[in-house]
Amino acid sequence: LDDRFYGIGGFLKLFPEKVKNLTIEEVNDAIRKHLQYKNMKIVMITQDAESLKNDLVGNKISPMKYATPKPRSVLQEDKEIESYPLEIPAENVQIIRIDDMLSPQ
């Protein structure tokens, strides 16, 4: 994000300080207000799109993997998240070639 492009120069310098002071409640309120999962469009780039689609639609368990050790609390939360049902209808998942995704419409 180039804050100068949007005419808000200096924002990126203030951002770390602002984020540091956010409470979990404030973050959750912002998520509830601004992110509606029914209206989200997510792009994923993968070599095996059909397999990814099947995993998403089939609610396949997706364990987290880390390159470095994590606290027990994080790993416990990951256990809950890895099997959280997404309930994504197959008709809502489209496989599009990257060339078609990036070409002007």
Side-chain angles (χ1 to χ4, degrees):
L1 174 66
D2 183 351
D3 57 354
R4 291 168 297 175
F5 177 81
Y6 294 99
I8 53 173
F11 176 75
L12 291 179
K13 290 180 182 172
L14 295 173
F15 187 75
E17 190 64 31
K18 297 286 186 186
V19 170
K20 183 175 73 174
N21 295 321
L22 285 175
T23 66
I24 291 174
E25 184 64 30
E26 290 170 324
V27 171
N28 288 335
D29 286 345
I31 289 170
R32 281 190 285 277
K33 180 178 178 182
H34 298 289
L35 295 179
Q36 297 87 32
Y37 71 93
K38 291 183 180 184
N39 298 325
M40 291 178 73
K41 293 185 182 192
I42 299 170
V43 174
M44 296 179 181
I45 299 172
T46 182
Q47 291 181 340
D48 189 358
E50 196 62 44
S51 179
L52 176 59
K53 177 180 179 175
N54 291 337
D55 290 350
L56 290 170
V57 171
N59 284 313
K60 183 177 177 185
I61 291 175
S62 180
M64 308 321 163
K65 296 178 184 174
Y66 299 101
T68 59
K70 298 296 171 224
R72 182 179 208 79
S73 61
V74 169
L75 298 175
Q76 288 174 326
E77 187 175 19
D78 285 353
K79 276 294 187 196
E80 293 179 40
I81 295 168
E82 73 183 21
S83 60
Y84 189 83
L86 299 176
E87 300 175 7
I88 301 172
E91 61 270 14
N92 288 3
V93 181
Q94 298 178 27
I95 297 175
I96 301 170
R97 292 184 61 243
I98 190 71
D99 293 339
D100 297 334
M101 187 77 181
L102 299 177
S103 62
Q105 299 294 325

